[in-house]
Amino acid sequence: MTNRAPGAFWPPLLMASTFLSISAVDAHAAEISPPPARQAEEKQTAPAQTPAKATAQKSTVTLRPVRVHGKADIIDSMKIDPDADYSAVGKPRVLTTTTTMKTFQQRMVDNLSDYARRVDAAVNYNASNFSINMRGLDQNRLLTTIDGVRTVWANDGARGVEGGVAAFDFNSLGAMDIVKSADSSFFGTGSLGGVVALRTLDPEDILKNGKNFGGLSKLTYDGSSESAYLNQALAGRYKNTVFLVQGGYQNGSEIWNMGKTSGTGITRSKKNPQSYDQGNFLGKIRHYFEGGHRVGLTGEWFDRNSDENTLTSVGSTYSRYRTREENKRSRVSANYDYKATSPTALFSEGHFLAYWQQMNMITNTTSNRLSAPVGEYDRDSNLSVQSYGVTGSATANLFTGPIHHAITFGGEAYMTDTSQYAAGKDNCTASIYSCSFLHVNQSDMPRVHGNDLGAIVQDRMGIGRNEWFHLTPGFRFDWYERNPQATASYTSNAAYMGEPNRSSGSHFSPKVLAEARVLRNLTLYGQYSEAFRAPSATELYLTYGGNGSYVNIGNPNLKPETSRGWEVGARYGNSERGATISFYDNYYHNFIDNITTTAAAAGIGGYYPMGVFEYVNRQHVRIYGVEASANWTFDTHWQAWTSLSYADGRDTDEKVHLNSVAPFRGIIGFGYKQTNWGASLSSTFAAARDKVQDPTSNKNKTPGYVIFDLTGWYSPSFAKNLRLQAGMYNVFNKTYYNALDIPDSSSLPKTYYTQPGRTFKVTALINF
């Protein structure tokens, strides 16, 4: 681990002391007195009674029910309900799991890896390519949105710059919706593995119980990376206008592993020393209008910088090697939402979102070469993706005899601009042979302008008594276009072969979902759906290499990836007491992959003795599996939860397994709580992974494991708004692997990719 200077943690700790020293006084809820009860005088003529009977009646007082006539708070009309059905916006309850901030706080979840370990075994985070993994798919085959805005997983294809979907602070989230379905009928391109819909904090998440002002302060120390997290959110209300400001700061080092070998070079198994800083800001303002209308404006900024002493690259070629990475994202969005007071109104709800978003992934390396070209050797790569667009939907209700139709129609239009540039500094000359492999001060692809359009129609038909049966046919039509635009930095590329062709295509994505509520709290369902993903700018237009060495190129003729799949399952209960199980079987066509080929097969001229690599479409891939989960609150004190996931995936033409598929994983947890304290014990386990793409190699094979996490919390009676939490993770210091973190090719020891041993985390949380 990095040896940190004594003052390294003072900035966040001083900030924390400033926030925590402010008195967290509860805002008094507005006292609303109900109007006087109206009393009606009733005159009745009663028969004569005996004295005994009269005495008995005098001892009995009959209280009439009192009706309080009041007006519901307008800001409660659109709060997220984790048990509600949001089929109108593509999130049917039987396919969607909603996790709220309450669960994040209770289980001390501070990042995607924590979520995969303590909440949902079917969701993984791949630290080797910085992407979310679900149902055997990751990278850009899984759609991630933040407040409805598409985020981008991107890579430059040649220099190791990749990521994007993790460019947010987890502590800025109010909830997360996981839509586990290979379904593009509502969300369009990219949802082959499902949808991760992130929702940032809303003012309504903090302004509870009629408060006009409130806040959330959180300070965390995480021993797995010697990190300090500080997050502060403040929310206020003036009449029907609410606002929120939230900020976060992190400072820490690398996530350590169980490697024992230090030193330099490819024999090193300890993690490279690293330090990082991360900051984010979120601002929201919303205004509610009578009749179920709401308008809002959101601004968000995120920046993460890391500085790594890359000792694994130090050896006979480099005497020093340092890697600096920066991941930035900014966005501004405006939204309009409508929700009728009656769910069967002619127009029951409507949504509109307009946004601008900018993302930059920057990697800078500074080193000193010992072999020609000797001396300073620096590289600075920047991959930029800018997007702006609109999306919206509206739902209308129609009744045709005994059938209730909830018809949703909508659309999406967005544009993207993708650019890449690699600057460099070295001592290259024409006489140095190795310089023909070193390509700098150029763009490895043209600037690519993208246009995407989509149109949505679905009809959720309710049939039978209390609409016990629902049938939802739906479809989406998408069209995309990618226009390469040559720039001076691209035409100076050593492998430049002329301006590439424009790429375009369209896809029709149908689905049909059937839901039957066979018991009061039990719903059975089945779905057939199709999905697709349009090729990325890198896959279409990458141009890296040079004549006489090697070349890695895109393919403007790529077809979009498509899938068709079936899923059946059952859902019981709700977020307090419930269970789910689902079986799925998905078939994928035209999987995009980078393969080794020849210049003739790729249709290019030149001589490339070191190899030709090209993006192509693989024909057939199948992934199937089963997922189950349950949570049960037994009484006011005990709670239990579990999550299980199994998947199997392979290329059915090549007869090889996919390394993107995780082995069987599971989570089991138990919790106990009293009024002001509680504790929980959870176990995460996984089977051994033997089904890998190359069965002759042990690189991607991993042993099974069982680890235990113990957490507890305490809220002092003298400060009920304060919650102190502590956790011990991997209690028995087990050496284990997250199979997905191991890259397909690496020269480092396998133990370099082990997970942390026993670690500790402490958190102070104040809600006021």
Side-chain angles (χ1 to χ4, degrees):
M1 294 184 290
T2 304
N3 293 323
R4 308 188 63 77
F9 291 113
W10 281 115
L13 290 179
L14 286 174
M15 292 173 67
S17 64
T18 302
F19 280 115
L20 297 180
S21 63
I22 300 175
S23 61
V25 180
D26 288 338
H28 292 287
E31 297 182 0
I32 303 175
S33 300
R38 290 176 294 185
Q39 301 178 354
E41 297 182 357
E42 299 179 357
K43 296 182 179 180
Q44 298 179 347
T45 303
Q49 300 173 342
T50 63
K53 190 173 182 180
T55 303
Q57 286 193 351
K58 286 181 181 179
S59 63
T60 303
V61 179
T62 302
L63 298 177
R64 296 171 180 257
V66 178
R67 295 183 180 180
V68 178
H69 298 274
K71 192 174 183 180
D73 193 336
I74 194 170
I75 73 168
D76 290 333
S77 61
M78 295 185 188
K79 285 187 175 179
I80 294 294
D81 179 357
D83 297 314
D85 192 298
Y86 294 96
S87 294
V89 290
K91 303 172 186 176
R93 178 50 43 201
V94 292
L95 300 174
T96 305
T97 301
T98 298
T99 307
T100 63
M101 180 175 60
K102 179 180 177 181
T103 300
F104 297 154
Q105 293 177 352
Q106 288 177 344
R107 301 188 194 177
M108 300 183 72
V109 175
D110 291 299
N111 50 56
L112 289 167
S113 296
D114 288 347
Y115 182 87
R117 175 168 170 170
R118 298 164 202 163
V119 179
D120 194 338
V123 178
N124 292 275
Y125 180 68
N126 188 331
S128 67
N129 61 23
F130 309 105
S131 71
I132 305 170
N133 181 292
M134 192 162 65
R135 293 191 172 182
L137 298 178
D138 57 8
Q139 301 176 19
N140 47 11
R141 296 184 177 113
L142 193 70
L143 176 61
T144 303
T145 65
I146 299 180
D147 293 338
V149 177
R150 290 174 174 269
T151 63
V152 180
W153 184 90
N155 74 320
D156 65 3
R159 303 178 189 269
V161 180
E162 58 185 0
V165 298
F168 65 94
D169 189 327
F170 204 95
N171 286 293
S172 70
L173 299 184
M176 175 189 294
D177 293 320
I178 304 294
V179 187
K180 297 176 180 176
S181 175
D183 179 9
S184 288
S185 68
F186 196 95
F187 295 99
T189 179
S191 53
L192 279 80
V195 178
V196 177
L198 308 172
R199 182 173 68 90
T200 57
L201 274 171
D202 291 332
E204 299 88 337
D205 294 326
I206 295 176
L207 297 176
K208 299 177 180 179
N209 303 321
K211 294 193 298 185
N212 290 324
F213 179 77
L216 173 64
S217 303
K218 184 177 180 182
L219 176 63
T220 299
Y221 171 76
D222 186 351
S224 66
S225 57
E226 293 185 332
S227 302
Y229 310 160
L230 174 64
N231 290 88
Q232 177 66 55
L234 298 171
R237 176 179 182 177
Y238 177 72
K239 295 183 178 179
N240 291 336
T241 301
V242 293
F243 65 87
L244 173 138
V245 290
Q246 183 271 336
Y249 174 77
Q250 294 186 21
N251 175 280
S253 63
E254 76 280 0
I255 299 175
W256 64 285
N257 63 7
M258 298 291 279
K260 305 299 182 184
T261 304
S262 56
T264 60
I266 60 174
T267 61
R268 180 183 175 90
S269 62
K270 285 187 176 181
K271 280 291 185 72
N272 288 321
Q274 181 190 112
S275 62
Y276 81 91
D277 291 278
Q278 175 180 303
N280 85 286
F281 172 81
L282 173 69
K284 287 188 177 183
I285 184 168
R286 289 176 167 177
H287 182 78
Y288 288 80
F289 296 90
E290 294 290 344
H293 304 273
R294 181 182 70 185
V295 294
L297 182 66
T298 301
E300 187 184 12
W301 168 84
F302 175 89
D303 193 358
R304 180 184 175 99
N305 287 271
S306 66
D307 185 355
E308 179 185 84
N309 185 4
T310 315
L311 297 176
T312 51
S313 295
V314 173
S316 59
T317 303
Y318 302 100
S319 62
R320 61 176 174 84
Y321 202 102
R322 204 162 197 97
T323 304
R324 297 177 179 86
E325 294 182 344
E326 184 176 11
N327 198 340
K328 299 191 297 183
R329 184 178 64 87
S330 302
R331 64 120 171 169
V332 176
S333 61
N335 65 285
Y336 164 77
D337 299 287
Y338 167 74
K339 192 170 185 180
T341 55
S342 171
T344 58
L346 178 59
F347 288 99
S348 58
E349 64 179 285
H351 308 276
F352 178 80
L353 172 71
Y355 64 88
W356 168 87
Q357 181 173 252
Q358 173 75 44
M359 185 186 70
N360 287 86
M361 292 178 293
I362 303 167
T363 297
N364 172 262
T365 60
T366 57
S367 59
N368 184 71
R369 283 184 65 104
L370 300 175
S371 59
V374 176
E376 189 71 15
Y377 179 85
D378 300 339
R379 295 292 183 265
D380 192 357
S381 298
N382 187 344
L383 179 62
S384 173
V385 181
Q386 180 178 240
S387 59
Y388 35 100
V390 295
T391 181
S393 66
T395 300
N397 291 283
L398 297 174
F399 294 87
T400 57
I403 303 177
H404 170 207
H405 300 266
I407 303 174
T408 299
F409 51 92
E412 182 181 22
Y414 64 96
M415 293 177 282
T416 56
D417 285 300
T418 305
S419 61
Q420 181 272 344
Y421 184 76
K425 178 183 178 182
D426 52 46
N427 293 315
C428 272
T429 64
S431 61
I432 301 177
Y433 172 72
S434 60
C435 286
S436 62
F437 299 89
L438 308 177
H439 310 291
V440 293
N441 301 317
Q442 67 175 41
S443 293
D444 300 328
M445 68 176 76
R447 181 183 296 273
V448 181
H449 179 77
N451 298 303
D452 288 76
L453 298 173
I456 308 160
V457 175
Q458 74 171 23
D459 182 6
R460 189 168 192 252
M461 296 181 286
I463 306 170
R465 185 177 181 181
N466 297 322
E467 298 187 9
W468 71 273
F469 182 78
H470 283 94
L471 185 67
T472 309
F475 71 87
R476 172 167 167 150
F477 177 79
D478 283 274
W479 173 84
Y480 69 89
E481 179 185 52
R482 305 290 181 260
N483 289 305
Q485 300 170 355
T487 61
S489 59
Y490 176 63
T491 56
S492 64
N493 187 310
Y496 178 70
M497 305 171 193
E499 187 172 342
N501 296 327
R502 162 185 168 274
S503 176
S504 66
S506 61
H507 191 74
F508 178 83
S509 305
K511 78 165 180 190
V512 59
L513 169 65
E515 306 164 75
R517 192 173 65 251
V518 295
L519 296 174
R520 180 180 178 184
N521 294 316
L522 176 63
T523 300
L524 306 181
Y525 69 91
Q527 176 176 263
Y528 169 80
S529 61
E530 296 187 11
F532 90 105
R533 179 182 74 85
S536 70
T538 299
E539 294 164 340
L540 291 168
Y541 301 116
L542 174 66
T543 311
Y544 180 79
N547 192 24
S549 57
Y550 57 86
V551 68
N552 191 353
I553 59 174
N555 184 350
N557 299 316
L558 285 174
K559 298 176 181 179
E561 297 180 338
T562 61
S563 77
R564 54 187 175 87
W566 292 263
E567 180 170 348
V568 295
R571 191 177 192 98
Y572 175 80
N574 54 34
S575 59
E576 292 295 322
R577 297 181 180 181
T580 65
I581 186 169
S582 60
F583 303 86
Y584 62 90
D585 193 0
N586 296 322
Y587 294 81
Y588 302 92
H589 185 51
N590 287 327
F591 240 44
I592 298 174
D593 198 3
N594 191 266
I595 66 168
T596 302
T597 184
T598 64
I604 60 175
Y607 174 61
Y608 308 98
M610 306 299 293
V612 175
F613 308 93
E614 184 186 25
Y615 283 97
V616 299
N617 288 111
R618 287 185 179 271
Q619 291 303 303
H620 301 99
V621 170
R622 180 192 182 194
I623 302 177
Y624 62 91
V626 58
E627 296 167 350
S629 65
N631 59 287
W632 206 263
T633 301
F634 294 97
D635 53 31
T636 57
H637 301 298
W638 289 97
Q639 183 185 27
W641 63 90
T642 186
S643 176
L644 306 170
S645 176
Y646 169 79
D648 191 309
R650 67 183 69 196
D651 183 321
T652 55
D653 293 326
E654 301 292 334
K655 308 297 183 185
V656 296
H657 287 276
L658 304 178
N659 287 342
S660 62
V661 177
F664 169 74
R665 285 200 333 124
I667 302 168
I668 297 177
F670 299 91
Y672 177 81
K673 67 176 182 178
Q674 286 285 356
T675 304
N676 63 340
W677 68 273
S680 65
L681 175 66
S682 67
S683 172
T684 306
F685 50 91
R689 180 162 87 161
D690 298 316
K691 298 177 180 179
V692 295
Q693 184 171 334
D694 182 4
T696 63
S697 171
N698 289 321
K699 187 70 178 179
N700 295 101
K701 296 178 180 179
T702 55
Y705 66 84
V706 180
I707 59 173
F708 295 90
D709 300 332
L710 178 65
T711 62
W713 63 273
Y714 173 67
S715 182
S717 57
F718 59 85
K720 294 183 179 180
N721 292 332
L722 172 64
R723 182 184 175 106
L724 303 174
Q725 296 174 287
M728 179 168 58
Y729 303 96
N730 193 359
V731 173
F732 299 105
N733 206 33
K734 174 77 173 179
T735 298
Y736 72 102
Y737 296 86
N738 175 5
L740 298 180
D741 282 357
I742 304 175
D744 291 344
S745 61
S746 174
S747 58
L748 299 180
K750 189 173 180 177
T751 52
Y752 186 85
Y753 302 101
T754 52
Q755 298 297 303
R758 184 186 301 111
T759 61
F760 299 88
K761 181 189 286 190
V762 293
T763 293
L765 187 68
I766 298 177
N767 286 284
F768 60 92

